[in-house]
Amino acid sequence: MNHTETYRIGIDIGSTTMKACVLNGAGECIFTDYQRHNANPRKAALEILGRMREQLGEHTLQMMMTGSVGMGYAERMNIDFEQEVIAAAEVISKKYPDIHTLIDMGGEDSKMIFFEEGRVPDMRMNGNCAGGTGSFIDQTATLLGVETAELDKLASLSDTIYPIASRCGVFSKTDIQNLLARGVSKNDIAASMFRAVAMQVVSALARGVEVKPKVFLCGGPFAYLPQLRVHLQHVLELGEEDCVLPENPQCVPALGCALKAKGKYYTFDEIESLFNNTDNLDVIADSGLEPLFEGEKEYEHWLDGKKGFELPKGDAISEGDYYLGVDSGSTTTKVVLIDGEGKMVYSDYSFNSGDSYRAFSEALQRMTSKVAHPEKVNIAGSAATGYGESLLRTAFSLNYGIVETMAHFMTARAIDPKVTFVLDIGGQDMKAIFVDNGSIRRIEINEACSSGCGSFIMTFANQLGYSIGDFAKIACFATRPYDLGTRCTVFMNSKVKQAMREGASVADIAAGFSYSVIKNCLFKVMKLHSIDELGEIIVVQGGTFKNHSVVRALEKMTGRNARFCDCPELSGAYGAALYAKSMKTPQEKPQTR
């Protein structure tokens, strides 16, 4: 094939997306592509190459790669590699000589480059903090229950900006949930988040250096979220004429690689073969973590051994006395109704989006709709626990409030009266209860850190393109769980990228998260000196333990068999209902408006 037909291709494999750009012999951009790789860069690369080949036909190509994940692939494939910031600077040098400042925002990193005539460009990148990046924006979208693209429309309708911490996802979640609980609109929250991200980018990267126009904006968030650009311009006090948004801003580092590509020539067949063979080239260090299960057969046998710990179930609601328990958590609201024998006759689980009052009110409406003759049902006692306990108890005239740990302890005793240790992991908190001779001896809870909680796992499952259920399932059958350590959400981002560079499968990463949750709980939150502190009978509760891989990781690390019921996410609400029943209050029927 004639080398005069050679094209130059740049491929940027980032933490969440893959970008490609092709230049012809005249240096004109004739092809770009962008897609999320969902932790499978090889598959995404082959799909992009297929579209490229279909559009361009057969040509020889010179190639260069960049990106946080691209580094590992370049090493394995023996392809030329360039650092992202240098690749982006090449674009400015060759095509935009009037630019003074470049700001690039990616999935988990952000970059700023200052250009001064006669000086080497001053290049800056964020460190281990993901505040002010695309993943931070994705987490906010998840918290608001919308797609990331919808944030832009919401923000465009905003009236007020509220302060939101953008340094860390843990603190931002707290701020956003407080705003939701106050009734602040999603429009204002979306705009406030964009403003916070813009401020974080500037403060973290400029560090006192003046951001001079013209300012060149690139990266996926700037490409697809115009309101983010509006808020950045506001923070920097810039007008539209001061900023340049190039065509395909999400592909700028890939374009820089295409501009710098030289050396060896490849055909499409050769490039596809290199990607197809990356699985054979991957060498992952032995992490020392055992597979959670050896296969489907062992998993099914394990499940059979867990039978017998279900919460007792009663008949449908008919007439008579019942006891209501509600667990109003940071992210979900759980409602349980039990009969006089402690059997659960109704349950409800819903996300509250920060509005505990609305969530409980709607749950009561759903419960009432299931009853043929509501007038014959007497709520003889009611109790609330959790984050919204005080609000719900006051607003709905519930009889009692009960501390979460006591509610979970009551459920644990119902599952096994000889329990010695109770571990509850919810959306953003965890509680560990040490029991001695039927009495609570010690309680440990997490404070500011949400790593190892349900939202921690959900965030990464979503980032890798999986539902939490599918993420949990594949973790059970990982052959080489990847040791992710006990980092917080922010620092875990870099560890996951490292795992991807080393060729770890999504299943291995998912299993690594299961181990990480337990390591974080045992050694960071509880600060265990010896596994013997747990005793022999462990009961696990909370929605996180619907993920069987987390239960199994706990068993692997402690050498104990963990007991869990068929609906661990309802443990707090069931315990509250038991408490209401134990008090046997003949008081006035609570309002259920």
Side-chain angles (χ1 to χ4, degrees), residues 128-133 135-143 164-177 193 196-197 200 331 427-428 448-451 455-456 459-460 463 488-493:
N128 286 322
C129 179
T133 65
S135 64
F136 184 89
I137 297 172
D138 287 343
Q139 289 177 29
T140 302
T142 299
L143 197 60
I164 292 178
S166 63
R167 177 67 179 172
C168 175
V170 174
F171 301 119
S172 72
K173 284 181 180 179
T174 301
D175 287 344
I176 290 171
Q177 284 166 342
M193 180 273 300
V197 168
Q200 173 66 14
T331 58
Q428 291 186 26
C449 181
S450 71
S451 63
S455 60
F456 173 81
T459 294
F460 282 98
Q463 283 183 10
C488 78
T489 305
V490 174
F491 295 110
M492 190 64 80
N493 287 322

Side-chain angles (χ1 to χ4, degrees), residues 577-589:
L578 286 178
Y579 179 73
K581 175 180 174 295
S582 72
M583 300 300 290
K584 298 181 180 179
T585 46
Q587 297 180 21
E588 179 183 352
K589 178 181 176 181

Side-chain angles (χ1 to χ4, degrees), residues 246-478:
E247 187 177 3
N248 301 308
Q250 70 277 22
C251 296
V252 168
L255 172 59
C257 283
L259 288 169
K260 292 174 67 70
K262 58 184 179 180
K264 187 175 180 180
Y265 296 92
Y266 301 89
T267 64
F268 278 114
D269 283 341
E270 289 171 336
I271 298 174
E272 289 176 353
S273 177
L274 287 173
F275 273 106
N276 274 319
N277 289 328
T278 52
D279 285 345
N280 297 329
L281 295 171
D282 294 333
V283 178
I284 304 175
D286 183 4
S287 67
L289 299 179
E290 295 181 12
L292 296 171
F293 297 98
E294 294 298 334
E296 289 274 1
K297 189 173 182 179
E298 183 185 11
Y299 176 63
E300 295 298 333
H301 179 73
W302 180 81
L303 283 179
D304 287 340
K306 299 302 178 184
K307 293 178 179 178
F309 300 111
E310 297 88 353
L311 293 181
K313 306 298 191 300
D315 298 328
I317 308 171
S318 55
E319 59 181 270
D321 291 345
Y322 293 91
Y323 303 89
L324 180 72
V326 54
D327 180 1
S328 178
S330 58
T331 58
T332 57
T333 296
K334 288 79 65 178
V335 175
V336 163
L337 193 69
I338 64 174
D339 62 19
E341 297 179 356
K343 295 179 179 179
M344 186 164 62
V345 297
Y346 180 82
S347 66
D348 188 277
Y349 179 98
S350 62
F351 287 93
N352 56 36
S353 300
D355 190 342
S356 301
Y357 180 94
R358 176 194 55 78
F360 184 51
S361 178
E362 292 178 355
L364 291 179
Q365 292 172 25
R366 288 191 291 271
M367 182 176 71
T368 302
S369 69
K370 301 289 186 181
V371 183
H373 301 285
E375 70 280 1
K376 296 183 179 181
V377 175
N378 177 43
I379 306 298
S382 57
T385 191
Y387 178 82
E389 173 218 320
S390 179
L391 170 66
L392 297 189
R393 185 180 175 189
T394 301
F396 293 89
S397 299
L398 303 181
N399 299 127
Y400 299 103
I402 178 175
V403 177
E404 288 178 84
T405 48
M406 288 304 301
H408 284 280
F409 177 50
M410 292 188 76
T411 299
R413 284 196 306 183
I415 292 172
D416 192 325
K418 296 180 180 179
V419 59
T420 59
F421 176 70
V422 185
L423 178 59
D424 168 59
I425 302 182
Q428 291 186 26
D429 56 14
M430 63 175 66
K431 295 171 281 291
I433 306 170
F434 297 81
V435 182
D436 190 7
N437 293 322
S439 300
I440 295 177
R441 172 172 54 88
R442 167 184 155 205
I443 296 173
E444 297 286 351
I445 62 173
N446 67 321
E447 295 177 354
C449 181
S450 71
S451 63
C453 298
S455 60
F456 173 81
I457 303 175
M458 183 177 291
T459 294
F460 282 98
N462 292 338
Q463 283 183 10
L464 295 172
Y466 283 78
S467 68
I468 187 65
D470 289 342
F471 199 64
K473 187 70 172 178
I474 64 172
C476 289
F477 307 113

Side-chain angles (χ1 to χ4, degrees), residues 191-207:
S192 301
M193 180 273 300
F194 283 149
R195 181 67 59 83
V197 168
M199 293 175 66
Q200 173 66 14
V201 168
V202 174
S203 63
L205 298 179
R207 296 194 291 275

